[in-house]
Amino acid sequence: MEFAELIKTPRVDKVVLHRPFHPPVGGTLCLTGHHLILSSRQDNSEELWLLHSNIDSIEKRFVGSSGTITIKCKDLRIIQLEITGMDESLNVANSIEALSTLDSITLMYPFFYRPMFEVTEDGWHSFFPEQEFELLSAETDDWRLSYVNRDFSVCQSYPPIVIVPKSIDDESLRKVAAFRQGGRFPVLSYYHKKNSMVMMRSSQPLTGTNGKRCKEDEKLINATLRPGKRGYIIDTRTLNVAQQARAKGGGFEQDAYYPQWRRIHKSIERFNILQESMIKLVEACNDQSHNMDRWLSKLEASNWLSHIKEILTTACLAAQCIDREGASVLVHGSEGMDSTLQVTSLAQIILDPKCRTIRGFEALVEKEWLQAGHPFQHRCAQSAYSNSKQKWEAPTFLLFLDCVWQILRQFPCSFQFNERFLVTLFEHAYASQFGTFLGNSEFERTKLKLQQKTMSLWSWVNQPKELHKFTNPLFEANGLVIWPSVAPQSLQLWEGVFLRWNRSSRYLDDANEEMVHIIQYNKELQIKVNALRRQLAELETEDGILETP
């Protein structure tokens, strides 16, 4: 297929662009295979370059011989194009609809993008399991690299190489994979150097109504326990939901077969519930009534902050089990591709200072999201405005980034990266010129040959001239565990995402000036808190751990 076949009118003059809190801009509209471009002859007017893949929905309205096209984007901005001429308006609208809903991944922009910068680092080769294992092997020899999935025959949503207990052979892994939904057998997610405890992740066991068991699964999980130690299984479903899953062939670990493990059920919502929550939140943020009571009511009704609280609470629980209880943890829900990854990655943010650096966070996204099989292509297919919702769409990754932002707000000096870095990852997860977030798994990315045919997002981010834009000037390395508050007054709406396009520049200037003073105060306070934490850490005994204030 040629893109030209879908572009009925490639160029239209005298188009007026309308955006909230910006004066109208007149210019020439051009449509290419991947971009909508508006160029203006006015001085100091920025060109609009919009990826078709960033378009969530369009609305058409015609008055007389002119038309207005409202474009709602996946990054949540809304723009309007005022076009003179009925035919031109219809042609542009139809072309945008066709170009923004292409079915084939290989027709998307990453396969056609050619970087304008010198590539000094290949982001595709920046994060490998072998590198992580090399660091792990310096601490312990209880683990090994397994290539049992090298051809993706055991689990298509897992990478070719995983880290598993050294005492478990590949044949046992195959049996465990047959016992876990989607073949997602327990693998190492995190090793806590402080006390050698670990966190693993998997999908649910296929116990069914008959209480089926798998001795190899029991052996694998028990292999992570120290002598005399107990472990915790954190199931991200309520007990009721987990019991219902048994009727469909799924289920949870039976106490009789896993006596050294205590199972804890936590409720983290998924799929359509999260998608509807995002839609309601964005609708509230776009409410122009300026009625505070109505705004707060809509914000509360969206339940977005409630979801953040649930996720952060469960991540803190996992971190506490590891750091304070000295116990190993296994995290799973049903498939282990959504809430499971939210919990394991946030727990590492809390526990591991390395994950709070830019490269450490990139490695975390690679390991716990991309290589762990989060289906980005499905989850991020549409955003908050699309009229055609599919059951697999959900803002799972955006919720994770929002949780990270909440922790960043509370510990503004403990992160090397800034808010802009998190917003950038949100944008590229939904629409990008890079191939990093294409596909639903390593299996699909390998079939698409993304490493050979597309550019990695990290190749661009890690350039020195770009990296400084994402660097937090207040960063002060903090080697301690950080414990975020999940109290309602501690959680705030992420304005940098949800109100970014709905605020005037004057408001932003005032807010930024105020924020500078607040951050400076927070930095001084954080330094004092860190000093107090170090003193408390020195007072810890082997028999008990002091509560962090």
Side-chain angles (χ1 to χ4, degrees):
M1 185 204 75
E2 297 291 336
F3 290 113
E5 299 173 11
L6 302 178
I7 304 175
K8 299 179 180 180
T9 302
R11 171 175 170 157
V12 182
D13 293 320
K14 298 180 180 180
V15 175
V16 180
L17 169 67
H18 297 274
R19 294 171 293 179
F21 303 107
H22 288 80
V25 176
T28 300
L29 177 70
C30 296
L31 293 181
T32 71
H34 296 103
H35 286 91
L36 180 154
I37 307 167
L38 188 132
S39 301
S40 174
R41 295 184 177 87
Q42 301 175 17
D43 294 336
N44 302 321
S45 289
E46 293 184 5
E47 284 189 331
L48 172 69
W49 285 70
L50 181 65
L51 273 172
H52 295 313
S53 59
N54 193 9
I55 296 174
D56 210 25
S57 71
I58 73 167
E59 299 171 2
K60 299 165 282 189
R61 183 169 59 88
F62 300 98
V63 179
S65 61
S66 64
T68 299
I69 301 174
T70 300
I71 298 176
K72 298 182 177 181
C73 304
K74 294 176 184 176
D75 61 9
L76 306 184
R77 68 180 132 166
I78 299 177
I79 63 175
Q80 286 187 334
L81 299 174
E82 190 177 307
I83 302 174
T84 302
M86 180 70 75
D87 291 341
E88 288 81 357
S89 300
L90 277 172
N91 287 343
V92 169
N94 292 337
S95 296
I96 293 174
E97 284 182 330
L99 292 166
S100 62
T101 56
L102 297 174
D103 292 331
S104 175
I105 295 179
T106 56
L107 292 177
M108 300 184 76
Y109 188 47
F111 287 92
F112 298 82
Y113 171 72
R114 296 297 175 264
M116 301 297 289
F117 59 90
E118 182 182 356
V119 180
T120 57
E121 175 185 337
D122 185 356
W124 290 116
H125 296 90
S126 296
F127 311 104
F128 286 119
E130 293 93 338
Q131 297 169 342
E132 181 189 2
F133 182 73
E134 187 176 342
L135 297 174
L136 175 66
S137 59
E139 302 290 333
T140 176
D141 62 351
D142 293 336
W143 301 81
R144 71 179 181 90
L145 286 175
S146 172
Y147 299 85
V148 68
N149 197 45
R150 64 164 55 90
D151 56 356
F152 302 102
S153 60
V154 175
C155 177
Q156 289 194 354
S157 62
Y158 268 5
I161 308 171
V162 292
I163 300 177
V164 296
K166 194 174 185 178
S167 59
I168 307 300
D169 59 32
D170 284 353
E171 185 56 36
S172 296
L173 292 179
R174 291 187 180 91
K175 293 180 180 179
V176 177
F179 180 66
R180 293 276 173 174
Q181 182 167 338
R184 295 174 66 86
F185 55 89
V187 297
L188 180 68
S189 176
Y190 171 68
Y191 177 86
H192 197 43
K193 294 181 182 179
K194 175 182 174 181
N195 56 14
S196 301
M197 295 300 105
V198 301
M199 178 167 55
M200 301 185 76
R201 51 176 162 75
S202 70
S203 61
Q204 67 176 342
L206 302 178
T207 56
T209 54
N210 296 326
K212 180 183 176 182
R213 67 182 292 192
C214 174
K215 293 182 178 180
E216 289 80 7
D217 185 80
E218 298 159 20
K219 181 180 177 182
L220 190 161
I221 294 177
N222 286 331
T224 67
L225 295 178
R226 297 289 178 181
K229 292 284 187 178
R230 291 175 59 86
Y232 290 90
I233 297 174
I234 298 179
D235 193 322
T236 62
R237 307 165 294 180
T238 63
L239 177 58
N240 185 46
V241 171
Q243 288 175 334
Q244 291 175 3
R246 293 179 61 185
K248 300 177 181 179
F252 50 87
E253 294 79 3
Q254 301 296 308
D255 294 340
Y257 303 144
Y258 301 84
Q260 293 173 277
W261 293 82
R262 177 188 173 190
R263 193 175 69 253
I264 304 174
H265 290 273
K266 303 295 288 185
S267 175
I268 298 181
E269 299 291 357
R270 300 168 179 77
F271 307 127
N272 63 311
I273 293 177
L274 296 184
Q275 190 70 14
E276 288 300 320
S277 178
M278 181 184 181
I279 292 170
K280 291 178 180 179
L281 175 61
V282 172
E283 180 184 341
C285 292
N286 291 336
D287 189 341
Q288 301 296 321
S289 67
H290 305 293
N291 183 309
M292 182 57 71
D293 290 338
R294 177 176 173 177
W295 149 249
L296 291 175
S297 177
K298 281 190 169 185
L299 177 61
E300 183 179 4
S302 74
N303 286 322
W304 186 263
L305 293 178
S306 297
H307 297 318
I308 290 174
K309 183 179 185 298
E310 292 168 355
I311 296 167
L312 279 175
T313 298
T314 308
C316 286
L317 172 64
Q320 287 173 347
C321 290
I322 293 170
D323 185 73
R324 292 185 170 179
E325 298 292 330
S328 290
V329 171
L330 169 66
V331 183
H332 74 71
S334 297
E335 296 177 333
M337 297 178 179
D338 293 276
S339 57
T340 297
L341 306 184
Q342 290 172 329
V343 172
T344 58
S345 50
L346 286 169
Q348 291 177 63
I349 292 285
I350 294 168
L351 294 169
D352 189 358
K354 182 178 67 176
C355 294
R356 300 171 219 147
T357 66
I358 292 177
R359 286 187 177 271
F361 192 80
E362 292 172 358
L364 183 70
V365 171
E366 279 284 341
K367 176 172 67 76
E368 291 299 297
W369 290 89
L370 291 161
Q371 295 175 11
H374 179 66
F376 279 96
Q377 199 73 35
H378 283 163
R379 298 291 182 267
C380 302
Q382 304 292 343
S383 185
Y385 297 122
S386 175
N387 297 319
S388 58
K389 293 293 180 292
Q390 302 295 330
K391 62 180 181 180
W392 53 69
E393 291 162 353
T396 310
F397 187 63
L398 174 57
L399 265 167
F400 160 68
L401 294 176
D402 200 329
C403 290
V404 176
W405 177 78
Q406 302 288 343
I407 304 175
L408 172 60
R409 272 191 60 256
Q410 297 181 29
F411 297 88
C413 304
S414 297
F415 288 80
Q416 187 185 22
F417 52 84
N418 56 22
E419 178 186 17
R420 183 174 183 175
F421 181 61
L422 298 176
V423 173
T424 298
L425 293 184
F426 154 63
E427 292 176 337
H428 285 275
Y430 279 86
S432 179
Q433 67 268 45
F434 304 106
T436 299
F437 293 108
L438 288 182
N440 292 305
S441 64
E442 285 295 285
F443 171 69
E444 288 191 12
R445 283 185 278 274
T446 299
K447 284 183 63 178
L448 292 168
K449 298 182 178 180
L450 294 185
Q451 292 192 21
Q452 295 79 28
K453 296 183 177 182
T454 71
M455 179 68 58
S456 167
L457 172 64
W458 316 126
S459 298
W460 171 69
V461 167
N462 291 332
Q463 296 177 93
K465 69 176 183 178
E466 299 295 337
L467 205 57
H468 82 276
K469 300 176 185 177
F470 305 122
T471 301
N472 177 12
L474 301 178
F475 175 61
E476 179 188 343
N478 176 10
L480 300 174
V481 175
I482 58 176
W483 297 104
S485 169
V486 296
Q489 63 269 26
S490 299
L491 303 178
Q492 294 187 11
L493 175 67
W494 190 4
E495 295 183 8
V497 167
F498 297 106
L499 294 179
R500 178 168 48 149
W501 310 107
N502 300 26
R503 301 177 295 184
S504 67
S505 58
R506 180 179 178 181
Y507 170 87
L508 285 173
D509 291 340
D510 293 342
N512 287 336
E513 184 177 349
E514 182 181 354
M515 187 59 69
V516 168
H517 296 299
I518 293 174
I519 289 178
Q520 186 60 41
Y521 169 77
N522 283 343
K523 180 177 182 181
E524 296 170 0
L525 183 63
Q526 187 71 49
I527 292 173
K528 294 178 182 178
V529 170
N530 287 344
L532 178 60
R533 286 176 179 273
R534 292 188 184 96
Q535 294 176 15
L536 288 172
E538 294 173 358
L539 294 175
E540 288 183 355
T541 65
E542 294 182 359
D543 297 326
I545 299 177
L546 294 174
E547 289 291 328
T548 304

